Amino acid sequence: MDWLKYLLIPLTMSALITPILKVIAVKLEIYAQMNERTVHSGKIVRIGGVAIYVSFIVCMACFMKTDATINGILIGGTIMFLGGLIDDMVDLKPKYKLAIECLAAIVLMVVGKVSLDVIRLPFGITIDMGIISFIVTFVWIIGITNAVNLIDGLDGLVSGVSIISLVTMGIVSYFFLPVPNLFLTMTIFVLVASIAGFFPFNYHPAILYLGDTGALFIGFMISVLSLQGLKNATAVAVVTPMIILGVPITDTFLAIIRRTLSGQKFYKPDRNHLHHRLLSLGLTHRGTVLVIYGISMIFSLISLLLNISSRIGGILLVIGLLF
């Protein structure tokens, strides 16, 4: 039962820090801005991600033995967190926010030596990514980080979808990787517990928002943890995180196409994301969030079935060769 501490401690820390954080943020008057794209009203604190970051970082420092990978994750995650916090307080221009994201990604790859190096295909075919591994890794980190941030438009949306995606990643990392990765599984569930402690305060009607502080940090960590599961991965393992993250990836991809075709800059915000469309169809705030949770669960189920079928297929192939 020792593993319970990896869930209970970060969950409790996050749940205790969140209400304290609200009091501090109210005194500092750090509220979510209202504009034509937002759907909330009134003054709502926008730096709830601080509770998630603090509980995750403290527990990682206490539970995990330090190595290059952990150092890279913690330093890169801290840079992303600070960038989001500054943005929540002073509203950074997109180019400055992107620069911070790039710095966090580069630090992760250089210090943590995190990259997608080799992909193993069926029949013994191996693809060595070589020099393009740096480019692919960099694009993946920046892409997933921003994809998660872009869907942060409704109460509890990012936190709920992230929990669903991360739990699925944790299951895959323990049961379906060629070599079970306990470090990866433990890290994933420490993050899940940190988000879960904050979730009740963020679910509709929310009393705190993640803000870029939380959305960028969670997006960065999801990109990093999915990459950890892809090291020397099989083809199925490579496709798995793309399916698990189907909601943010699809929404971001469609947003880029939509804005480009309309002559807008692809990074310019609009009110045509999936959650906006569902709201326009007449769904309630909570109903829209639950529908997207359901879609995310379907993507996660598909990824699990893909991994199960791959494992069964491999076993059947071995049996066929033997007999």
Side-chain angles (χ1 to χ4, degrees):
M1 299 295 286
D2 189 53
W3 57 270
L4 278 176
K5 70 180 181 182
Y6 299 108
L7 296 176
L8 295 179
I9 295 178
L11 186 148
T12 303
M13 284 185 62
S14 182
L16 292 176
I17 292 172
T18 299
I20 299 173
L21 181 65
K22 182 186 177 183
V23 174
I24 296 172
V26 167
K27 289 185 176 181
L28 295 176
E29 297 187 351
I30 306 175
Y31 298 113
Q33 293 185 343
M34 288 185 287
N35 52 48
E36 68 279 2
R37 292 180 292 105
T38 57
V39 297
H40 75 280
S41 59
K43 294 182 177 180
I44 302 179
V45 172
R46 69 185 292 190
I47 56 170
V50 172
I52 296 171
Y53 168 81
V54 171
S55 57
F56 176 79
I57 291 294
V58 169
C59 290
M60 285 291 291
C62 294
F63 297 155
M64 305 296 181
K65 294 181 180 179
T66 303
D67 61 16
T69 299
I70 292 178
N71 287 337
I73 291 173
L74 298 185
I75 296 172
T78 298
I79 292 172
M80 192 67 76
F81 162 77
L82 291 174
L85 181 60
I86 293 171
D87 184 50
D88 283 335
M89 297 178 72
V90 301
D91 288 317
L92 290 172
K93 292 182 179 179
K95 62 181 180 180
Y96 296 133
K97 189 191 299 186
L98 179 60
I100 293 172
E101 294 173 7
C102 292
L103 176 61
I106 292 172
V107 167
L108 171 71
M109 290 186 286
V110 173
V111 177
K113 297 178 174 59
V114 175
S115 64
L116 177 58
D117 301 317
V118 177
I119 298 176
R120 303 186 187 282
L121 301 176
F123 309 109
I125 301 174
T126 299
I127 300 177
D128 188 345
M129 300 295 286
I131 192 171
I132 68 168
S133 66
F134 182 90
I135 299 173
V136 172
T137 302
F138 181 82
V139 171
W140 177 262
I141 294 171
I142 300 300
I144 295 301
T145 298
N146 283 285
V148 172
N149 190 39
L150 281 175
I151 66 168
D152 186 23
L154 297 178
D155 299 359
L157 185 54
V158 165
S159 51
V161 169
S162 296
I163 288 173
I164 294 168
S165 300
L166 285 165
V167 168
T168 308
M169 287 169 55
I171 294 171
V172 171
S173 70
Y174 187 78
F175 291 103
F176 298 108
L177 290 183
V179 179
N181 190 330
L182 281 178
F183 159 77
L184 178 60
T185 304
M186 289 163 53
T187 304
I188 287 173
F189 281 103
V190 168
L191 181 58
V192 168
S194 299
I195 300 172
F198 169 79
F199 181 76
F201 302 93
N202 185 230
Y203 189 64
H204 187 72
I207 62 173
L208 289 95
Y209 287 155
L210 281 169
D212 279 358
T213 304
L216 288 177
F217 175 70
I218 291 174
F220 178 79
M221 290 307 305
I222 288 176
S223 71
V224 172
L225 295 173
S226 60
L227 277 173
Q228 284 297 102
L230 293 179
K231 282 190 172 182
N232 301 318
T234 63
V236 171
V238 171
V239 174
T240 295
M242 297 180 185
I243 299 175
I244 294 173
L245 300 170
V247 169
I249 289 176
T250 302
D251 194 41
T252 301
F253 181 71
L254 292 177
I256 292 173
I257 294 176
R258 180 178 65 248
R259 294 168 187 173
T260 301
L261 292 177
S262 63
Q264 298 179 352
K265 294 179 180 179
F266 71 89
Y267 55 82
K268 186 177 181 180
D270 60 27
R271 197 181 169 88
N272 289 298
H273 289 286
L274 174 61
H275 54 275
H276 291 128
R277 294 298 182 92
L278 291 174
L279 285 171
S280 67
L281 291 175
L283 272 68
T284 63
H285 191 123
R286 184 171 294 182
T288 297
V289 172
L290 291 175
V291 166
I292 298 177
Y293 285 172
I295 296 172
S296 185
M297 287 179 182
I298 291 172
F299 276 119
S300 293
L301 179 60
I302 291 172
S303 71
L304 290 175
L305 292 175
L306 179 63
N307 279 275
I308 292 171
S309 63
S310 175
R311 179 66 60 86
I312 294 174
I315 293 173
L316 293 177
L317 179 62
V318 172
I319 293 174
L321 291 174
L322 289 175
F323 297 96

